Amino acid sequence: MSIAEKFVAMEYGPAPEDPKEALSWLDRHDRKFGHFIGGVWQQPSEGTYFETSDPSNGERLAEVGQGSVADIDAAVHAAHTALSKWQAHTPHVRARYLYALARTIQKHSRRLAVLETIDNGKPIRESRDIDIPLVIRHFYHHAGWAQLLEQEFPGYAPCGVVGQIIPWNFPLLMLAWKIAPALATGNTVVLKPAEFTPLTALAFAEICQEVGLPPGVVNIVTGDGSTGESLVKHDGVAKIAFTGSTEVGRAIRRATASSHKRLSLELGGKSPFIIFEDADLDSAVEGLVDGIWFNQGQVCCAGSRLLMQESIAEPLIAKIRDRMSTLRAGAPLDKSVDIGAIVDRVQLDRIKRLVDQGVAEGATCWQPKIDLPSRGLYYPPTLLSNVHPTSMVAQQEIFGPVLATMTFRTPTEAVELANNTVYGLAGCVWSESLNVALHVASQIKAGVVWVNCTNLFDAACGFGGYRESGYGREGGREGLLEYLEPVWFKNAPALPTVERTPRQPLNHDSDPSLPAIDRTVKLYIGGKQARPDSGYSMEVRGTDGRFLGEAPLGNRKDIRNAVEAAHKASSWAKATAHTRAQVLYYIAENLSERSEEIARRLAAAVGETQAAAEVSLGIERIFSYAGWADKYDGAVHNPPFRNVALAMNEVIGTVGVICSNQAPLLGFLSLTMPLLAAGNTTVVVPSETYPLIAGDLYQIFDTSDLPGGAVNIVTGYTSQLLKVLAEHDDVDSIWCFADGESATAAKAYSVGNLKQVFTNEGRSIDWFDAKQSEGRWFLQHATQVKNIWVPYGE
Ligand code: NAI
């Protein structure tokens, strides 16, 4: 046999990883685990356990405790007890603990990789070379942040006790993404691992003991969804961080609406994998293998929708099929296996059901003839073609090794198809033309876009979604901010129940015998004054009860029109930051021009002193955001690969704004200007007590070159308009700065499209103090970070 013949005929021999160490670790624990609470192992309070098994062969691995309400309560209590001491440590001490965790995980890395593989079914090649190294990197990186915290985040404080709920697809990695930033920022943690894969979290608990982490700083309670629910609902928890299904994400949003709990959600995805005709097709196919068949496709950012330029569809599909035929499925502990087991029977059945449904809807299903083990939970790599963009398999997350393919002709069409989803977690673009690739990347609505690469992650680069893929980021500076709050805000008092500020007596027009000046403002929609659909108005009275004028009573239809107008004004987002700054300066100039008359009118509602202050600080505030417009830049990260990751602060879209009653003009400007500076379009409900400010403002906007639709103003009853805005699927975010009840309503009504919500939590904000009411905190909420990864080198 010639060497060439031998090469072709060569077979992979078995290369099994020895699980002895991991199994003897399980044996040392008698294959039975309680919860890790207050630094010690505790029996589940109800004495109930459930099994976790190896999905590649069905063998039982261990029993773990089913966490009850009482167990969660004990864990939260332990975390509270540990909190003040943990926060009292210097950043350096916390950095030392995080560093020790990284080192110790590194020492046990192989055991952890094997444990992950037998509990989850993922190939050892992946757990050994991807999951665990990334876990270690995450702890090292955050040891650095712990050390630098006070220098880099002055004025911020930790949230407190944090509840974290993680899924089963990257068990230890998701733990690291949650625990490392929480500890680095001075929080303590109660974490609930997924019921299918609790083992590496329990091994991590032991590592916490090994490094001498103070008891209660990390608590691990195992259990199912009900355990997670108890954690979400616990009053002692200040923040919930969740990764999992969009459905549960919604339930958590609903369950936390009436509390002040911070929330970050990393949910599902249906990410586009776009290949242009000029791409290096062989590389793209290798990328695709990683994009959809990595971890059996059980990846939230899996490139599960292949979008191919029509001209290359045929040869590309041929290449993909060839490559699929060489994928090796088998025992996950075999080092030369590409495709391991599906985590659980429930998930396997779900994949089968969805593929069958796709075929019934007209998709063509192709699977390579590769051997699958006779035992265990396996599903072959699968290609679905003839997929209609609106069909179920193109829209719904399958969470399995299933690729749906579609074609496009032009870059514009590619972007349209890519964004034709409710999700927005990730995307891939393959093209040798960097211009085209970056142009497309910038238009994909997703938190991460990989150009000519795929599935790259790093602790320094934020990861998280747009739209129904959730909000908040993990990794990077933005990830740390999820666990921090401005100190002043944490300590801000609740708004007084009667919100109207004491008004000063008027010293003009105060003769009661004179008729009041009839001042009727209109709505402002798409750059035009509009009468309300309802045909009704609301009376506006001054502090002394005197009639000041009438404001339209906006309704559902007016909000809908305003949202439509805001959507049409997307030219504002596309304008350069310099242009936006110029328009904002112009608004300030026009406000300054008319300051006296506006202050005079406003005085009837808030008194002369406040009115004068609102106008002069208002001008200053607009100047501030005109200054910020071209300075709130992103960052360029240098992850430890030959890549740059461009972290862009992108616009959120259309934002609904509910203004405060405390400062009708200054509050309006403090909320609207950062949104405009970042390129958002807005639908603003002005202060209910003095909506007449709308009339002054739209006259200023009209004369300041602000494109029609960038700001729309709908006056009326806050509670009614808030509901319509928060439930509207084309509104991308809600800023609600009225009372506590409105904050709860904003969160509860926003579950539909999982829009981002930014509120004052019913607390009082001093709009006259720029330290509270201006700057980065607002800009952060006016933008979302997208990381675009670009490789370099040959
Ligand atoms: P899931 O969302 O139910 O589970 C994730 C975690 O949430 C688990 O720890 C679970 O115990 C917990 N949980 C469940 N119900 C809860 C509740 N009401 N309150 C608090 N915590 C709760 O996901 P599941 O059922 O394991 O998988 C179903 C589908 O979800 C998958 O097929 C996939 O489409 C998606 N998924 C997405 C993930 C992602 O990384 N984005 C990860 C896991 C699943």
Side-chain angles (χ1 to χ4, degrees), residues 165-169 192-195 224-225 228-229 232 242-245 248 252 266-268 300 347 350 397 399:
I165 298 165
I166 55 171
W168 41 261
N169 51 349
K192 192 204 83 69
E195 49 272 52
D224 59 14
E229 210 178 323
V232 165
F242 171 77
T243 300
S245 60
V248 173
I252 293 178
E266 200 266 89
L267 310 173
C300 48
Q347 287 300 120
R350 187 168 182 269
E397 183 175 45
F399 229 61

Side-chain angles (χ1 to χ4, degrees), residues 559 563 567 652-657 683 724-735 753-756:
I559 291 283
V563 173
H567 265 266
I652 292 178
T654 294
V655 182
V657 182
V683 176
V724 187
L725 266 176
E727 284 178 346
H728 200 303
D729 277 349
D730 287 335
V731 173
D732 303 295
S733 170
I734 286 282
W735 285 24
N753 68 347
L754 277 169
K755 53 175 71 65
Q756 307 185 18

Side-chain angles (χ1 to χ4, degrees), residues 671-685:
L671 296 173
T672 310
M673 291 301 137
L675 287 165
L676 288 183
N680 297 282
T681 58
T682 56
V683 176
V684 190
V685 178

Side-chain angles (χ1 to χ4, degrees), residues 172-250:
L172 194 61
L173 185 56
M174 289 304 102
L175 174 148
W177 282 20
K178 299 269 179 298
I179 289 186
L183 298 196
T185 44
N187 299 274
T188 57
V189 162
V190 177
L191 177 131
K192 192 204 83 69
E195 49 272 52
F196 300 150
T197 55
L199 294 182
T200 45
L202 297 166
F204 176 80
E206 198 179 72
I207 288 172
C208 292
Q209 276 181 327
E210 196 177 328
V211 304
L213 191 73
V217 170
V218 167
N219 305 276
I220 312 269
V221 179
T222 50
D224 59 14
S226 68
T227 315
E229 210 178 323
S230 310
L231 182 55
V232 165
K233 290 187 174 155
H234 198 290
D235 284 344
V237 170
K239 179 200 158 75
I240 293 288
F242 171 77
T243 300
S245 60
T246 295
E247 193 188 329
V248 173
R250 274 204 184 91

Side-chain angles (χ1 to χ4, degrees), residues 114-386:
V114 173
L115 206 54
E116 199 76 302
T117 283
I118 58 178
D119 205 15
N120 168 282
K122 64 172 69 203
I124 183 74
R125 210 163 45 79
E126 293 177 5
S127 53
R128 182 197 60 193
D129 300 344
I130 298 167
D131 291 51
I132 308 301
L134 281 172
V135 169
I136 297 164
R137 161 93 181 124
H138 221 77
F139 277 100
Y140 277 133
H141 181 79
H142 284 88
W145 276 126
Q147 179 74 42
L148 302 175
L149 192 75
E150 286 180 0
Q151 291 165 47
E152 288 295 303
F153 295 90
Y156 277 87
C159 297
V161 172
V162 173
Q164 306 184 315
I165 298 165
I166 55 171
W168 41 261
N169 51 349
F170 295 91
L172 194 61
L173 185 56
M174 289 304 102
L175 174 148
W177 282 20
K178 299 269 179 298
I179 289 186
L183 298 196
T185 44
N187 299 274
T188 57
V189 162
V190 177
L191 177 131
K192 192 204 83 69
E195 49 272 52
F196 300 150
T197 55
L199 294 182
T200 45
L202 297 166
F204 176 80
E206 198 179 72
I207 288 172
C208 292
Q209 276 181 327
E210 196 177 328
V211 304
L213 191 73
V217 170
V218 167
N219 305 276
I220 312 269
V221 179
T222 50
D224 59 14
S226 68
T227 315
E229 210 178 323
S230 310
L231 182 55
V232 165
K233 290 187 174 155
H234 198 290
D235 284 344
V237 170
K239 179 200 158 75
I240 293 288
F242 171 77
T243 300
S245 60
T246 295
E247 193 188 329
V248 173
R250 274 204 184 91
I252 293 178
R253 168 72 292 174
R254 215 171 278 123
T256 53
S258 61
S259 72
H260 296 317
K261 289 183 186 115
R262 292 272 304 276
L263 181 59
S264 49
L265 300 173
E266 200 266 89
L267 310 173
K270 191 78 190 178
S271 299
F273 194 104
I274 306 173
I275 306 182
F276 282 94
E277 61 188 3
D278 68 347
D280 171 348
L281 293 192
D282 292 321
S283 299
V285 170
E286 282 316 303
L288 188 64
V289 168
D290 196 23
I292 182 64
W293 292 301
F294 171 54
N295 203 23
Q296 295 71 248
Q298 303 166 123
V299 181
C300 48
C301 54
S304 51
R305 282 186 300 145
L306 172 62
L307 311 181
M308 311 168 278
Q309 198 153 20
E310 205 172 73
S311 50
I312 48 148
E314 230 173 273
L316 182 61
I317 289 286
K319 274 181 193 286
I320 294 169
R321 285 184 175 194
D322 279 353
R323 184 64 181 90
M324 286 170 77
S325 304
T326 64
L327 290 171
R328 301 189 77 235
L333 279 178
D334 187 330
K335 288 172 216 138
S336 42
V337 145
D338 302 305
I339 303 232
I342 299 296
V343 71
D344 190 84
R345 165 81 49 202
V346 180
Q347 287 300 120
L348 182 61
D349 290 346
R350 187 168 182 269
I351 298 167
K352 285 182 182 159
R353 196 179 63 245
L354 291 173
V355 170
D356 288 350
Q357 222 173 310
V359 171
E361 279 186 10
T364 308
C365 176
W366 186 86
Q367 294 170 332
K369 290 188 178 46
I370 58 172
D371 295 333
L372 292 184
S374 51
R375 231 172 124 212
L377 308 171
Y378 290 90
Y379 194 83
T382 300
L383 189 69
L384 296 177
S385 46
N386 284 334

Side-chain angles (χ1 to χ4, degrees), residues 633-677:
D633 284 335
V636 179
H637 298 302
N638 293 288
F641 321 99
R642 282 197 313 180
N643 270 279
V644 285
L646 312 171
M648 319 275 290
N649 289 330
E650 284 202 342
V651 59
I652 292 178
T654 294
V655 182
V657 182
I658 304 292
C659 292
S660 153
N661 279 339
Q662 290 167 302
L665 173 66
L666 188 58
F668 186 111
L669 295 174
S670 302
L671 296 173
T672 310
M673 291 301 137
L675 287 165
L676 288 183

